[in-house]
Structure formats: C-alpha cells, structure tokens
Amino acid sequence: MGAQLRVYKRRIRSVTATKKITKAMEMIAASRVVKAQRKVAASAPYATELTRAVTAVGTGSNTKHPLTTEAETATRAAVLLLTSDRGLAGAFNSNAIKAAEQLTARLEAEGKQVDTYIVGRRGLAHYNFRERKVAESWSGFTDEPTYADAKKVAGPLIEAIEKETADGGVDELHIVYTEFVSMMTQTAIDGRLLPLRLEEVAEEAPKGEILPLYEFEPSAEDVLDALLPRYVESRIYNALLQSAASKHAATRRAMKSATDNAGDLITTLSRLANAARQAEITQEISEIVGGSAALADATAGSDK
C-alpha cells in the first residue's frame, strides 16, 4: 500500500506542475490576443480603403493589368498558406492546412499548376514530412507580425504575378489564413488576392454609396503599378494579424482546457491517494489488533 500511495503522490506533484505551466500559458495567450485584436482593427480600414481605391481605378479605366485583369486561360496559381511557428493551439494549424489542401485540389482539378508558399514552421513541417514541394517559406514572426514581415512575404509573390507564366510566373494569387471571428470562433478561409474581383468588392460596399472619381496622372496603368505592391502587402499584413489573433485565441482555449483537465485529474488522484492511505491505515490497525490478540492468547497460555 505504501508504494501505491507514493506513486499517487508523485503523479499529483507532476500534474500540479503541469497545471501551473498551462495556466501561465493561458494567461500569456489571453494578454497577447487582446493586443492582436487591436492591431487587426487598426489595419482593417487601410486595407479596405486601398482595395476600394484599386477598384475605382480598375473600373474607371480599360487598362489591362495583373491586379485587375484575369488571364484568358489561367495555367498557374500561387497559394500562400499562413500557419504558426508553435503548436499547443488545438486544431488551428490543421484546419488551415486542410483548407489549403482543399484549395490546391480544386485548382489542380481546374487544370492549373499550383506553387505553394508557406508562413510558419508548422505548415512547412507538414509539407516537408509529406515531401511536397514548397516554392518559398518564412518563419519566426507569426506570433507578432509586422508590416516589414508582410513586405518580405509579398515580395516573391508580386514578382511571380508580374512574370509571364512561361518564365515561372503565375496567373492567380490565393491566400489561406484563419479569420478571427471571436474569442471562441476562428475560421480557416481561402480567398483570391489577384486578380482582384471588382464585382465582389462592389457588392461588399454599402448600398447606394458612390465610389469617388479619380484623375490618373500620369496614367491609370502607372497608378495600378504603384498600388499593386501596396494592395498585396496590406492584405497579407491583415491576414497575418488575423492569423496571429486566431492562434492566440486557440492557444488560450486549449490551455484552459488543459488546466481544467489537470484540475480534474488532481481531484481523481487525490481521492485515490486518500483511499490508499485509508487502506494502509486500516491494514496497520488490523495488524496491531491481530498482534495484540496473539500476544494476549500467548500470555493466557503461559499462565495456565
């Protein structure tokens, strides 16, 4: 019994230490997700207005540009997948990877060759383990991305969209990331960054709102050339912030669940330890009573 009691006590100490770690990680994630939410809210208006400006230029001119003009026959597409550098976030990474794989399968079914770009060590490890080709990857900034990180990611993608497909360029640019809906809900979504669907942007605008009129100097094509990198960078930056906020929320939820489970396990182990202690005490009392009875019988026999 004593050995079993020691085992229970050792497990209780181990689970208690784990509970302290998960509780600390929960609190850290809770503080980070608030900061990430503020950054998402701050970046959204800029990205939205820039998209509207691009839409106004695209609808107000007949210029053929990679930003607004679809290829007659698209043969190559680039998919940017946003994951995290660290785990302990429930199904956060697996949901994003699954959405990227579904998008890739859909594009390949349309006869397009897909180049995959990945942000985050988790996504890269998934593709490397399965020996899938990755055009380029980035890591080390997924928890707190900056605009400089977005520019670094956008650079190769902009080069690919500006190249001819015969020279290794792409006709379309898609992105897969996790959208932050609330502290309890984060959804992996995919969207097409380029070419920009002008009709969809127009539908998202408030009804009755008239887009501002622009005069292009020196030309609409030059304006679109200047807006192309800004548009891609702003959209990727907003997606990175959304993904970071979602990851922190998922980590907080996962760590809270782990903390609660650790508490339940400690309660169960404490009950088992108490039962083992009671059994040990009962056994000792039985041994004492039995020894006393044997001693009394021996004394009575010697007296006779």
Side-chain angles (χ1 to χ4, degrees):
M1 290 295 179
Q4 188 177 16
L5 181 59
R6 285 193 297 271
V7 170
Y8 287 139
K9 288 184 176 180
R10 185 165 60 247
R11 290 190 62 189
I12 288 173
R13 287 194 298 269
S14 176
V15 176
T16 301
T18 303
K19 182 181 178 181
K20 291 180 181 179
I21 295 173
T22 56
K23 184 64 177 178
M25 294 180 68
E26 177 190 348
M27 296 175 66
I28 293 172
S31 65
R32 287 180 176 177
V33 70
V34 174
K35 296 178 182 178
Q37 280 182 278
R38 293 172 182 170
K39 290 182 179 180
V40 170
S43 69
Y46 175 77
T48 301
E49 289 303 320
L50 185 57
T51 303
R52 294 179 62 199
V54 172
T55 304
V57 178
T59 55
S61 67
N62 296 323
T63 302
K64 291 186 178 181
H65 194 273
L67 205 155
T68 57
T69 305
E70 294 193 31
E72 294 182 1
T73 305
T75 58
R76 290 174 64 94
V79 174
L80 175 62
L81 168 62
L82 304 187
T83 60
S84 66
D85 291 325
R86 302 177 183 178
L88 301 178
F92 169 79
N93 288 302
S94 60
N95 287 340
I97 292 171
K98 182 179 178 181
E101 290 177 339
Q102 291 175 346
L103 173 61
T104 300
R106 187 167 71 247
L107 293 174
E108 290 177 345
E110 297 173 359
K112 301 171 185 174
Q113 182 179 344
V114 178
D115 295 336
T116 304
Y117 297 78
I118 298 178
V119 175
R121 295 190 184 96
R122 291 293 171 174
L124 181 61
H126 176 87
Y127 276 71
N128 286 341
F129 180 77
R130 288 158 179 78
E131 298 181 352
R132 297 176 183 173
K133 185 179 178 182
V134 176
E136 196 161 346
S137 62
W138 303 265
S139 61
F141 54 82
T142 58
D143 283 350
E144 295 182 3
T146 63
Y147 196 83
D149 298 322
K151 290 184 67 174
K152 181 168 61 177
V153 174
L157 296 172
I158 295 173
E159 292 179 6
I161 200 71
E162 290 178 338
K163 284 182 181 179
E164 295 292 335
T165 54
D167 299 328
V170 297
D171 299 310
E172 298 176 356
L173 173 57
H174 299 259
I175 186 171
V176 178
Y177 66 99
T178 305
E179 182 183 27
F180 181 86
V181 180
S182 67
M183 290 293 291
M184 297 302 297
T185 305
Q186 300 86 42
T187 307
I189 62 174
D190 65 83
R192 195 177 79 175
L193 289 182
L194 295 175
L196 183 65
R197 292 188 174 96
L198 302 179
E199 299 81 4
E200 292 184 2
V201 177
E203 290 177 0
E204 293 175 0
K207 292 183 179 180
E209 183 176 0
I210 301 175
L211 291 174
L213 298 177
Y214 293 92
E215 292 185 0
F216 310 128
E217 180 66 33
S219 67
E221 185 175 1
D222 292 332
V223 173
L224 289 174
D225 286 339
L227 288 178
L228 174 60
R230 301 291 181 271
Y231 166 76
V232 176
E233 291 166 5
S234 66
R235 281 299 176 184
I236 291 177
Y237 180 53
N238 182 262
L240 285 170
L241 294 177
Q242 293 263 8
S243 183
S246 300
K247 190 268 178 183
H248 294 317
T251 298
R252 176 184 174 276
R253 190 167 62 251
M255 292 301 101
K256 185 179 186 308
S257 178
T259 302
D260 294 341
N261 291 338
D264 295 339
L265 183 56
I266 290 172
T267 300
T268 301
L269 290 173
S270 298
R271 290 173 180 170
L272 293 173
N274 291 335
R277 186 182 300 110
Q278 291 296 329
E280 185 178 355
I281 293 172
T282 302
Q283 183 177 356
E284 290 178 355
I285 293 175
S286 299
E287 291 174 355
I288 292 172
V289 171
S292 298
L295 183 60
D297 292 342
T299 303
S302 62
D303 289 342
K304 291 180 180 179

